[in-house]
Amino acid sequence: MAAPAKAEVGKARRRLAAAHHAAVVSHERPDGDAVGSALATALSLRLTGKQAEAVFPDGLPARYRFLPGAATVRRDLPAGIDLIITVDCSTLDRLGPAGVAVPVVNIDHHPTNTLFGQINLVDAQASATAELLYNLAPGLGLPIDVDVATNLLAGIVTDTIGFRTASTTPRVLQAAADLMTRGAALSDVYERTLNQHSLSALRYWSHGLGRLECEGGLVWCSLTLEDRRAAQYGGNDDADLINLLGTVDGARVALILVEQADGRTKVSWRCREGFNVARLAEQFGGGGHDLAAGAMISGERAQVELTVLSATRATLEAVGPA
Ligand code: 5GP
Ligand code: MN
């Protein structure tokens, strides 16, 4: 999926112009790109005189609450909205809020996007939905002031893990430079979104790292509800430990399993070039990008671990030696 066609961008521009009150939503367990893209879109729409709100049913993860507009986030869809814009969300069933009935403009960069919108602006080449929004902003008539720029930069910085991923092209760096020129503070965004970890998150990591396994190019570990309690970690995620596993020398694929209170298991995969974990995640009802994907799988952790490890090993064997 390359850059959205001009005609589709024109359609979206007219749809945005016709809207009076828009809600901007993203996927459950929002990451930096989900939050940055949603806040940027809502703030920019407000600059054009519209009513617009970013809606996150569980509020924002603490690390993103410094972002401009974070204080105006709503937990439920407001009454009277005439447009929903989804950002960074590949399928309708991953959408945060339920009850989406009004027309949807779908803006995303996941190759697994199901094009569920009335209008779909999907570019799988973009490093982040925030980069895509930056590229589309002139065509959509969305202004970028310092607050919008800060949110867009946060989306780009987090999805490229600080400009480290293979998706970081010269164009990404040019976009980031322009966002800085508009006033976004790169070092501050980088520090707050990627560099700072709570003590409890590091204690939580230590439980998982204590069970780290590495075999045949695959590195993995799991995190349990008991680990979460022992570390007093408040989230239901892996606290980004997966990105550390992905740095292990010689590992081609990293995966992490996180036990959930509802009996399901969240699995995240990361891999190096030459392997595609999105296809693997899709086998389990998930999705994502070639090099970073995830799935929420029914079943308790130990059982899911066996199934997922065996599927991942099989794919590694099928691909052959690096
Ligand atoms: P993470 O593993 O860090 O949660 O997510 C890595 C990538 O996979 C992100 O692009 C995320 O949107 C996607 N992803 C994670 N979990 C799921 C899932 O359950 N379903 C789908 N479709 N994508 C997912
Ligand atoms: Mn993204």
Side-chain angles (χ1 to χ4, degrees):
M1 272 177 265
K6 265 205 178 119
E8 198 73 357
V9 179
K11 252 200 310 191
R13 182 192 186 110
R14 288 189 292 280
R15 194 65 198 74
L16 295 188
H20 296 288
H21 190 176
V24 191
V25 301
S26 188
H27 56 83
E28 53 189 1
R29 302 159 186 275
D31 58 13
D33 191 26
V35 175
S37 295
L39 290 175
T41 306
L43 290 179
S44 185
L45 282 169
R46 280 183 218 156
L47 290 176
T48 68
K50 311 273 177 203
Q51 239 185 306
E53 351 253 353
V55 180
F56 289 93
D58 301 321
L60 295 185
R63 71 170 54 219
Y64 304 124
R65 286 185 206 143
F66 76 98
L67 287 169
T72 64
V73 159
R74 291 183 56 121
R75 286 174 180 257
D76 48 3
L77 288 175
I81 48 170
D82 51 12
L83 177 65
I84 288 188
I85 302 168
T86 65
V87 291
D88 201 44
C89 189
S90 54
T91 60
L92 260 189
D93 59 316
R94 284 197 84 211
L95 210 55
V100 169
V102 290
V104 168
V105 175
N106 165 18
I107 306 177
D108 186 31
H109 73 132
H110 289 91
T112 53
N113 191 288
T114 56
L115 307 179
F116 54 83
Q118 240 186 12
I119 299 172
N120 299 289
L121 303 175
V122 179
D123 179 2
Q125 308 291 316
S127 64
T129 298
E131 184 203 352
L132 174 59
L133 275 168
Y134 170 82
N135 294 333
L136 292 176
L140 291 177
L142 289 175
I144 302 179
D145 69 355
V146 56
D147 290 345
V148 175
T150 301
N151 279 298
L152 292 178
L153 190 61
I156 294 172
V157 163
T158 51
D159 256 24
T160 62
I161 326 177
F163 307 109
R164 283 201 277 140
T165 56
S167 56
T168 308
T169 59
R171 205 161 169 225
V172 175
L173 297 175
Q174 277 154 4
D178 182 48
L179 294 170
M180 287 179 78
T181 306
R182 292 169 192 261
L186 175 63
S187 57
D188 187 49
V189 166
Y190 197 113
E191 176 66 18
R192 288 172 183 260
T193 58
L194 290 178
N195 236 8
Q196 287 180 358
H197 297 285
S198 66
L199 197 59
S200 60
L202 291 195
R203 291 201 169 114
Y204 184 47
W205 285 13
S206 75
H207 292 275
L209 289 173
R211 292 188 294 268
L212 190 63
E213 307 228 34
C214 192
E215 180 203 297
L218 179 60
V219 60
W220 77 97
C221 73
S222 56
L223 289 162
T224 65
L225 291 172
E226 180 46 37
D227 296 337
R228 219 189 276 176
R229 269 191 296 274
Q232 294 185 307
Y233 179 69
N236 54 8
D237 55 12
D238 67 334
D240 285 336
L241 178 55
I242 186 63
N243 289 332
L244 185 62
L245 299 198
T247 65
V248 171
D249 220 5
R252 297 173 69 197
V253 182
L255 75 87
I256 197 160
L257 301 109
V258 185
E259 187 177 24
Q260 302 294 307
D262 62 6
R264 294 186 297 169
T265 302
K266 170 69 203 281
V267 179
S268 294
W269 288 264
R270 299 291 184 269
C271 67
R272 299 210 155 99
E273 292 274 9
F275 199 79
N276 183 326
V277 286
R279 300 284 159 266
L280 203 45
E282 276 181 316
Q283 288 179 32
F284 294 95
H289 306 281
D290 293 1
L291 306 184
M296 184 66 85
I297 304 175
S298 294
E300 56 104 17
R301 190 191 49 81
Q303 187 53 48
V304 170
E305 180 164 340
L306 289 176
T307 321
V308 162
L309 281 177
S310 126
T312 307
R313 282 196 192 103
T315 316
L316 259 175
E317 275 160 27
V319 170

PDB file of all heavy atoms in Angstrom, residues 180-212:
ATOM      1  N   MET A 180      10.609  20.136  14.134  1.00  0.00           N
ATOM      2  CA  MET A 180      11.443  20.891  15.092  1.00  0.00           C
ATOM      3  C   MET A 180      11.440  22.375  14.734  1.00  0.00           C
ATOM      4  O   MET A 180      11.353  23.242  15.608  1.00  0.00           O
ATOM      5  CB  MET A 180      12.884  20.366  15.084  1.00  0.00           C
ATOM      6  CG  MET A 180      13.043  19.017  15.744  1.00  0.00           C
ATOM      7  SD  MET A 180      14.743  18.449  15.672  1.00  0.00           S
ATOM      8  CE  MET A 180      15.480  19.420  16.997  1.00  0.00           C
ATOM      9  N   THR A 181      11.531  22.663  13.441  1.00  0.00           N
ATOM     10  CA  THR A 181      11.509  24.070  13.007  1.00  0.00           C
ATOM     11  C   THR A 181      10.208  24.742  13.435  1.00  0.00           C
ATOM     12  O   THR A 181      10.176  25.926  13.755  1.00  0.00           O
ATOM     13  CB  THR A 181      11.659  24.145  11.467  1.00  0.00           C
ATOM     14  OG1 THR A 181      12.833  23.425  11.118  1.00  0.00           O
ATOM     15  CG2 THR A 181      11.768  25.572  10.978  1.00  0.00           C
ATOM     16  N   ARG A 182       9.144  23.954  13.478  1.00  0.00           N
ATOM     17  CA  ARG A 182       7.846  24.511  13.912  1.00  0.00           C
ATOM     18  C   ARG A 182       7.741  24.597  15.434  1.00  0.00           C
ATOM     19  O   ARG A 182       6.688  24.933  15.971  1.00  0.00           O
ATOM     20  CB  ARG A 182       6.704  23.651  13.363  1.00  0.00           C
ATOM     21  CG  ARG A 182       6.557  23.742  11.851  1.00  0.00           C
ATOM     22  CD  ARG A 182       5.611  22.670  11.348  1.00  0.00           C
ATOM     23  NE  ARG A 182       5.653  22.526   9.912  1.00  0.00           N
ATOM     24  CZ  ARG A 182       4.767  23.067   9.061  1.00  0.00           C
ATOM     25  NH1 ARG A 182       3.767  23.775   9.525  1.00  0.00           N
ATOM     26  NH2 ARG A 182       4.892  22.876   7.777  1.00  0.00           N
ATOM     27  N   GLY A 183       8.786  24.176  16.130  1.00  0.00           N
ATOM     28  CA  GLY A 183       8.831  24.398  17.567  1.00  0.00           C
ATOM     29  C   GLY A 183       8.825  23.143  18.432  1.00  0.00           C
ATOM     30  O   GLY A 183       8.942  23.222  19.654  1.00  0.00           O
ATOM     31  N   ALA A 184       8.671  21.968  17.828  1.00  0.00           N
ATOM     32  CA  ALA A 184       8.649  20.735  18.632  1.00  0.00           C
ATOM     33  C   ALA A 184      10.046  20.480  19.214  1.00  0.00           C
ATOM     34  O   ALA A 184      11.048  20.645  18.514  1.00  0.00           O
ATOM     35  CB  ALA A 184       8.209  19.555  17.769  1.00  0.00           C
ATOM     36  N   ALA A 185      10.087  20.099  20.480  1.00  0.00           N
ATOM     37  CA  ALA A 185      11.374  19.919  21.179  1.00  0.00           C
ATOM     38  C   ALA A 185      11.768  18.442  21.141  1.00  0.00           C
ATOM     39  O   ALA A 185      11.317  17.646  21.963  1.00  0.00           O
ATOM     40  CB  ALA A 185      11.245  20.403  22.611  1.00  0.00           C
ATOM     41  N   LEU A 186      12.624  18.096  20.189  1.00  0.00           N
ATOM     42  CA  LEU A 186      12.973  16.682  19.973  1.00  0.00           C
ATOM     43  C   LEU A 186      13.556  16.028  21.228  1.00  0.00           C
ATOM     44  O   LEU A 186      13.138  14.938  21.613  1.00  0.00           O
ATOM     45  CB  LEU A 186      13.955  16.545  18.807  1.00  0.00           C
ATOM     46  CG  LEU A 186      14.482  15.123  18.572  1.00  0.00           C
ATOM     47  CD1 LEU A 186      13.360  14.168  18.198  1.00  0.00           C
ATOM     48  CD2 LEU A 186      15.563  15.110  17.494  1.00  0.00           C
ATOM     49  N   SER A 187      14.524  16.686  21.873  1.00  0.00           N
ATOM     50  CA  SER A 187      15.190  16.017  23.003  1.00  0.00           C
ATOM     51  C   SER A 187      14.194  15.763  24.137  1.00  0.00           C
ATOM     52  O   SER A 187      14.245  14.728  24.804  1.00  0.00           O
ATOM     53  CB  SER A 187      16.385  16.835  23.484  1.00  0.00           C
ATOM     54  OG  SER A 187      15.957  18.125  23.837  1.00  0.00           O
ATOM     55  N   ASP A 188      13.271  16.683  24.331  1.00  0.00           N
ATOM     56  CA  ASP A 188      12.276  16.533  25.391  1.00  0.00           C
ATOM     57  C   ASP A 188      11.313  15.378  25.063  1.00  0.00           C
ATOM     58  O   ASP A 188      11.037  14.507  25.901  1.00  0.00           O
ATOM     59  CB  ASP A 188      11.499  17.847  25.525  1.00  0.00           C
ATOM     60  CG  ASP A 188      10.564  17.826  26.711  1.00  0.00           C
ATOM     61  OD1 ASP A 188      11.018  17.448  27.805  1.00  0.00           O
ATOM     62  OD2 ASP A 188       9.373  18.163  26.546  1.00  0.00           O
ATOM     63  N   VAL A 189      10.841  15.352  23.821  1.00  0.00           N
ATOM     64  CA  VAL A 189       9.926  14.284  23.391  1.00  0.00           C
ATOM     65  C   VAL A 189      10.628  12.934  23.511  1.00  0.00           C
ATOM     66  O   VAL A 189      10.071  11.958  24.020  1.00  0.00           O
ATOM     67  CB  VAL A 189       9.473  14.542  21.928  1.00  0.00           C
ATOM     68  CG1 VAL A 189       8.822  13.312  21.331  1.00  0.00           C
ATOM     69  CG2 VAL A 189       8.517  15.736  21.868  1.00  0.00           C
ATOM     70  N   TYR A 190      11.875  12.884  23.057  1.00  0.00           N
ATOM     71  CA  TYR A 190      12.657  11.636  23.093  1.00  0.00           C
ATOM     72  C   TYR A 190      12.843  11.166  24.546  1.00  0.00           C
ATOM     73  O   TYR A 190      12.593  10.009  24.876  1.00  0.00           O
ATOM     74  CB  TYR A 190      14.018  11.904  22.449  1.00  0.00           C
ATOM     75  CG  TYR A 190      14.774  10.664  22.046  1.00  0.00           C
ATOM     76  CD1 TYR A 190      15.013  10.382  20.713  1.00  0.00           C
ATOM     77  CD2 TYR A 190      15.266   9.779  22.998  1.00  0.00           C
ATOM     78  CE1 TYR A 190      15.711   9.250  20.337  1.00  0.00           C
ATOM     79  CE2 TYR A 190      15.960   8.644  22.630  1.00  0.00           C
ATOM     80  CZ  TYR A 190      16.184   8.384  21.305  1.00  0.00           C
ATOM     81  OH  TYR A 190      16.868   7.259  20.935  1.00  0.00           O
ATOM     82  N   GLU A 191      13.248  12.092  25.386  1.00  0.00           N
ATOM     83  CA  GLU A 191      13.502  11.760  26.785  1.00  0.00           C
ATOM     84  C   GLU A 191      12.246  11.207  27.462  1.00  0.00           C
ATOM     85  O   GLU A 191      12.268  10.165  28.113  1.00  0.00           O
ATOM     86  CB  GLU A 191      14.009  13.022  27.509  1.00  0.00           C
ATOM     87  CG  GLU A 191      14.231  12.873  29.001  1.00  0.00           C
ATOM     88  CD  GLU A 191      15.351  11.902  29.339  1.00  0.00           C
ATOM     89  OE1 GLU A 191      16.177  11.604  28.462  1.00  0.00           O
ATOM     90  OE2 GLU A 191      15.365  11.429  30.495  1.00  0.00           O
ATOM     91  N   ARG A 192      11.129  11.904  27.272  1.00  0.00           N
ATOM     92  CA  ARG A 192       9.911  11.507  27.999  1.00  0.00           C
ATOM     93  C   ARG A 192       9.252  10.260  27.431  1.00  0.00           C
ATOM     94  O   ARG A 192       8.639   9.491  28.168  1.00  0.00           O
ATOM     95  CB  ARG A 192       8.902  12.654  27.976  1.00  0.00           C
ATOM     96  CG  ARG A 192       9.281  13.823  28.864  1.00  0.00           C
ATOM     97  CD  ARG A 192       8.302  14.906  28.556  1.00  0.00           C
ATOM     98  NE  ARG A 192       8.521  16.142  29.238  1.00  0.00           N
ATOM     99  CZ  ARG A 192       7.839  16.512  30.339  1.00  0.00           C
ATOM    100  NH1 ARG A 192       6.983  15.702  30.894  1.00  0.00           N
ATOM    101  NH2 ARG A 192       8.047  17.681  30.870  1.00  0.00           N
ATOM    102  N   THR A 193       9.340  10.045  26.122  1.00  0.00           N
ATOM    103  CA  THR A 193       8.622   8.903  25.549  1.00  0.00           C
ATOM    104  C   THR A 193       9.467   7.634  25.509  1.00  0.00           C
ATOM    105  O   THR A 193       8.930   6.538  25.591  1.00  0.00           O
ATOM    106  CB  THR A 193       8.130   9.198  24.117  1.00  0.00           C
ATOM    107  OG1 THR A 193       9.250   9.525  23.290  1.00  0.00           O
ATOM    108  CG2 THR A 193       7.126  10.332  24.094  1.00  0.00           C
ATOM    109  N   LEU A 194      10.784   7.779  25.360  1.00  0.00           N
ATOM    110  CA  LEU A 194      11.594   6.570  25.164  1.00  0.00           C
ATOM    111  C   LEU A 194      12.615   6.306  26.254  1.00  0.00           C
ATOM    112  O   LEU A 194      12.984   5.161  26.494  1.00  0.00           O
ATOM    113  CB  LEU A 194      12.363   6.657  23.827  1.00  0.00           C
ATOM    114  CG  LEU A 194      11.553   6.548  22.550  1.00  0.00           C
ATOM    115  CD1 LEU A 194      12.468   6.706  21.352  1.00  0.00           C
ATOM    116  CD2 LEU A 194      10.814   5.217  22.459  1.00  0.00           C
ATOM    117  N   ASN A 195      13.106   7.372  26.870  1.00  0.00           N
ATOM    118  CA  ASN A 195      14.272   7.205  27.746  1.00  0.00           C
ATOM    119  C   ASN A 195      13.917   6.978  29.200  1.00  0.00           C
ATOM    120  O   ASN A 195      14.721   6.448  29.945  1.00  0.00           O
ATOM    121  CB  ASN A 195      15.157   8.452  27.638  1.00  0.00           C
ATOM    122  CG  ASN A 195      16.562   8.106  27.246  1.00  0.00           C
ATOM    123  OD1 ASN A 195      16.842   6.955  26.917  1.00  0.00           O
ATOM    124  ND2 ASN A 195      17.435   9.085  27.279  1.00  0.00           N
ATOM    125  N   GLN A 196      12.720   7.433  29.604  1.00  0.00           N
ATOM    126  CA  GLN A 196      12.377   7.353  31.027  1.00  0.00           C
ATOM    127  C   GLN A 196      11.557   6.104  31.325  1.00  0.00           C
ATOM    128  O   GLN A 196      10.569   5.835  30.641  1.00  0.00           O
ATOM    129  CB  GLN A 196      11.564   8.573  31.443  1.00  0.00           C
ATOM    130  CG  GLN A 196      12.396   9.828  31.537  1.00  0.00           C
ATOM    131  CD  GLN A 196      11.569  11.040  31.950  1.00  0.00           C
ATOM    132  OE1 GLN A 196      10.357  10.945  32.138  1.00  0.00           O
ATOM    133  NE2 GLN A 196      12.228  12.167  32.078  1.00  0.00           N
ATOM    134  N   HIS A 197      11.971   5.370  32.326  1.00  0.00           N
ATOM    135  CA  HIS A 197      11.199   4.202  32.770  1.00  0.00           C
ATOM    136  C   HIS A 197      11.013   4.309  34.269  1.00  0.00           C
ATOM    137  O   HIS A 197      11.919   4.736  34.983  1.00  0.00           O
ATOM    138  CB  HIS A 197      11.939   2.903  32.442  1.00  0.00           C
ATOM    139  CG  HIS A 197      12.119   2.684  30.982  1.00  0.00           C
ATOM    140  ND1 HIS A 197      11.101   2.284  30.162  1.00  0.00           N
ATOM    141  CD2 HIS A 197      13.198   2.835  30.189  1.00  0.00           C
ATOM    142  CE1 HIS A 197      11.535   2.185  28.927  1.00  0.00           C
ATOM    143  NE2 HIS A 197      12.811   2.521  28.907  1.00  0.00           N
ATOM    144  N   SER A 198       9.853   3.874  34.725  1.00  0.00           N
ATOM    145  CA  SER A 198       9.635   3.910  36.170  1.00  0.00           C
ATOM    146  C   SER A 198      10.443   2.786  36.822  1.00  0.00           C
ATOM    147  O   SER A 198      10.779   1.785  36.173  1.00  0.00           O
ATOM    148  CB  SER A 198       8.148   3.736  36.488  1.00  0.00           C
ATOM    149  OG  SER A 198       7.740   2.437  36.111  1.00  0.00           O
ATOM    150  N   LEU A 199      10.715   2.967  38.084  1.00  0.00           N
ATOM    151  CA  LEU A 199      11.440   1.936  38.831  1.00  0.00           C
ATOM    152  C   LEU A 199      10.657   0.626  38.797  1.00  0.00           C
ATOM    153  O   LEU A 199      11.222  -0.462  38.620  1.00  0.00           O
ATOM    154  CB  LEU A 199      11.608   2.420  40.271  1.00  0.00           C
ATOM    155  CG  LEU A 199      12.647   1.710  41.098  1.00  0.00           C
ATOM    156  CD1 LEU A 199      14.016   1.818  40.451  1.00  0.00           C
ATOM    157  CD2 LEU A 199      12.684   2.327  42.505  1.00  0.00           C
ATOM    158  N   SER A 200       9.320   0.727  38.924  1.00  0.00           N
ATOM    159  CA  SER A 200       8.518  -0.506  38.933  1.00  0.00           C
ATOM    160  C   SER A 200       8.576  -1.198  37.572  1.00  0.00           C
ATOM    161  O   SER A 200       8.570  -2.429  37.502  1.00  0.00           O
ATOM    162  CB  SER A 200       7.079  -0.219  39.348  1.00  0.00           C
ATOM    163  OG  SER A 200       6.492   0.685  38.462  1.00  0.00           O
ATOM    164  N   ALA A 201       8.688  -0.430  36.488  1.00  0.00           N
ATOM    165  CA  ALA A 201       8.811  -1.070  35.168  1.00  0.00           C
ATOM    166  C   ALA A 201      10.121  -1.856  35.097  1.00  0.00           C
ATOM    167  O   ALA A 201      10.147  -2.987  34.603  1.00  0.00           O
ATOM    168  CB  ALA A 201       8.766  -0.019  34.066  1.00  0.00           C
ATOM    169  N   LEU A 202      11.200  -1.278  35.604  1.00  0.00           N
ATOM    170  CA  LEU A 202      12.487  -1.989  35.557  1.00  0.00           C
ATOM    171  C   LEU A 202      12.452  -3.230  36.453  1.00  0.00           C
ATOM    172  O   LEU A 202      13.011  -4.272  36.109  1.00  0.00           O
ATOM    173  CB  LEU A 202      13.638  -1.070  35.980  1.00  0.00           C
ATOM    174  CG  LEU A 202      13.975   0.060  35.014  1.00  0.00           C
ATOM    175  CD1 LEU A 202      15.342   0.662  35.338  1.00  0.00           C
ATOM    176  CD2 LEU A 202      13.984  -0.405  33.573  1.00  0.00           C
ATOM    177  N   ARG A 203      11.758  -3.141  37.585  1.00  0.00           N
ATOM    178  CA  ARG A 203      11.637  -4.330  38.459  1.00  0.00           C
ATOM    179  C   ARG A 203      10.826  -5.412  37.748  1.00  0.00           C
ATOM    180  O   ARG A 203      11.126  -6.599  37.840  1.00  0.00           O
ATOM    181  CB  ARG A 203      10.974  -3.944  39.781  1.00  0.00           C
ATOM    182  CG  ARG A 203      11.888  -3.072  40.617  1.00  0.00           C
ATOM    183  CD  ARG A 203      11.513  -3.099  42.108  1.00  0.00           C
ATOM    184  NE  ARG A 203      12.558  -2.457  42.881  1.00  0.00           N
ATOM    185  CZ  ARG A 203      12.420  -1.331  43.564  1.00  0.00           C
ATOM    186  NH1 ARG A 203      11.250  -0.723  43.609  1.00  0.00           N
ATOM    187  NH2 ARG A 203      13.430  -0.814  44.231  1.00  0.00           N
ATOM    188  N   TYR A 204       9.802  -4.974  37.048  1.00  0.00           N
ATOM    189  CA  TYR A 204       8.948  -5.890  36.258  1.00  0.00           C
ATOM    190  C   TYR A 204       9.812  -6.576  35.195  1.00  0.00           C
ATOM    191  O   TYR A 204       9.777  -7.799  35.033  1.00  0.00           O
ATOM    192  CB  TYR A 204       7.847  -5.041  35.651  1.00  0.00           C
ATOM    193  CG  TYR A 204       6.764  -5.709  34.851  1.00  0.00           C
ATOM    194  CD1 TYR A 204       6.094  -6.843  35.289  1.00  0.00           C
ATOM    195  CD2 TYR A 204       6.362  -5.146  33.634  1.00  0.00           C
ATOM    196  CE1 TYR A 204       5.055  -7.394  34.535  1.00  0.00           C
ATOM    197  CE2 TYR A 204       5.330  -5.682  32.887  1.00  0.00           C
ATOM    198  CZ  TYR A 204       4.688  -6.810  33.341  1.00  0.00           C
ATOM    199  OH  TYR A 204       3.662  -7.342  32.602  1.00  0.00           O
ATOM    200  N   TRP A 205      10.639  -5.787  34.493  1.00  0.00           N
ATOM    201  CA  TRP A 205      11.550  -6.362  33.495  1.00  0.00           C
ATOM    202  C   TRP A 205      12.417  -7.442  34.126  1.00  0.00           C
ATOM    203  O   TRP A 205      12.674  -8.472  33.517  1.00  0.00           O
ATOM    204  CB  TRP A 205      12.509  -5.288  32.964  1.00  0.00           C
ATOM    205  CG  TRP A 205      11.953  -4.297  32.010  1.00  0.00           C
ATOM    206  CD1 TRP A 205      10.630  -4.070  31.718  1.00  0.00           C
ATOM    207  CD2 TRP A 205      12.712  -3.367  31.224  1.00  0.00           C
ATOM    208  NE1 TRP A 205      10.534  -3.042  30.804  1.00  0.00           N
ATOM    209  CE2 TRP A 205      11.785  -2.603  30.484  1.00  0.00           C
ATOM    210  CE3 TRP A 205      14.076  -3.100  31.082  1.00  0.00           C
ATOM    211  CZ2 TRP A 205      12.191  -1.588  29.605  1.00  0.00           C
ATOM    212  CZ3 TRP A 205      14.471  -2.105  30.213  1.00  0.00           C
ATOM    213  CH2 TRP A 205      13.536  -1.358  29.486  1.00  0.00           C
ATOM    214  N   SER A 206      12.897  -7.153  35.352  1.00  0.00           N
ATOM    215  CA  SER A 206      13.870  -8.077  35.967  1.00  0.00           C
ATOM    216  C   SER A 206      13.243  -9.458  36.161  1.00  0.00           C
ATOM    217  O   SER A 206      13.936 -10.469  36.046  1.00  0.00           O
ATOM    218  CB  SER A 206      14.396  -7.519  37.285  1.00  0.00           C
ATOM    219  OG  SER A 206      13.411  -7.636  38.292  1.00  0.00           O
ATOM    220  N   HIS A 207      11.936  -9.515  36.397  1.00  0.00           N
ATOM    221  CA  HIS A 207      11.271 -10.818  36.532  1.00  0.00           C
ATOM    222  C   HIS A 207      11.304 -11.553  35.197  1.00  0.00           C
ATOM    223  O   HIS A 207      11.642 -12.735  35.137  1.00  0.00           O
ATOM    224  CB  HIS A 207       9.820 -10.633  37.004  1.00  0.00           C
ATOM    225  CG  HIS A 207       9.724 -10.121  38.403  1.00  0.00           C
ATOM    226  ND1 HIS A 207       9.760 -10.943  39.498  1.00  0.00           N
ATOM    227  CD2 HIS A 207       9.621  -8.863  38.893  1.00  0.00           C
ATOM    228  CE1 HIS A 207       9.670 -10.216  40.602  1.00  0.00           C
ATOM    229  NE2 HIS A 207       9.586  -8.946  40.243  1.00  0.00           N
ATOM    230  N   GLY A 208      10.955 -10.843  34.140  1.00  0.00           N
ATOM    231  CA  GLY A 208      10.976 -11.459  32.815  1.00  0.00           C
ATOM    232  C   GLY A 208      12.383 -11.834  32.404  1.00  0.00           C
ATOM    233  O   GLY A 208      12.629 -12.946  31.911  1.00  0.00           O
ATOM    234  N   LEU A 209      13.337 -10.923  32.625  1.00  0.00           N
ATOM    235  CA  LEU A 209      14.722 -11.178  32.200  1.00  0.00           C
ATOM    236  C   LEU A 209      15.315 -12.368  32.943  1.00  0.00           C
ATOM    237  O   LEU A 209      16.168 -13.080  32.414  1.00  0.00           O
ATOM    238  CB  LEU A 209      15.571  -9.919  32.413  1.00  0.00           C
ATOM    239  CG  LEU A 209      15.255  -8.773  31.437  1.00  0.00           C
ATOM    240  CD1 LEU A 209      16.009  -7.506  31.823  1.00  0.00           C
ATOM    241  CD2 LEU A 209      15.581  -9.166  29.999  1.00  0.00           C
ATOM    242  N   GLY A 210      14.838 -12.592  34.169  1.00  0.00           N
ATOM    243  CA  GLY A 210      15.308 -13.747  34.939  1.00  0.00           C
ATOM    244  C   GLY A 210      14.922 -15.068  34.274  1.00  0.00           C
ATOM    245  O   GLY A 210      15.493 -16.110  34.588  1.00  0.00           O
ATOM    246  N   ARG A 211      13.942 -15.028  33.374  1.00  0.00           N
ATOM    247  CA  ARG A 211      13.491 -16.249  32.688  1.00  0.00           C
ATOM    248  C   ARG A 211      13.802 -16.203  31.189  1.00  0.00           C
ATOM    249  O   ARG A 211      13.182 -16.915  30.408  1.00  0.00           O
ATOM    250  CB  ARG A 211      11.980 -16.429  32.879  1.00  0.00           C
ATOM    251  CG  ARG A 211      11.561 -16.738  34.297  1.00  0.00           C
ATOM    252  CD  ARG A 211      10.085 -17.101  34.350  1.00  0.00           C
ATOM    253  NE  ARG A 211       9.265 -15.969  33.991  1.00  0.00           N
ATOM    254  CZ  ARG A 211       8.768 -15.101  34.873  1.00  0.00           C
ATOM    255  NH1 ARG A 211       8.994 -15.266  36.158  1.00  0.00           N
ATOM    256  NH2 ARG A 211       8.040 -14.088  34.476  1.00  0.00           N
ATOM    257  N   LEU A 212      14.747 -15.336  30.820  1.00  0.00           N
ATOM    258  CA  LEU A 212      15.052 -15.141  29.405  1.00  0.00           C
ATOM    259  C   LEU A 212      15.613 -16.419  28.779  1.00  0.00           C
ATOM    260  O   LEU A 212      16.464 -17.077  29.378  1.00  0.00           O
ATOM    261  CB  LEU A 212      16.093 -14.014  29.284  1.00  0.00           C
ATOM    262  CG  LEU A 212      16.374 -13.487  27.892  1.00  0.00           C
ATOM    263  CD1 LEU A 212      15.119 -12.842  27.301  1.00  0.00           C
ATOM    264  CD2 LEU A 212      17.505 -12.447  27.960  1.00  0.00           C
TER     265      LEU A 212
END
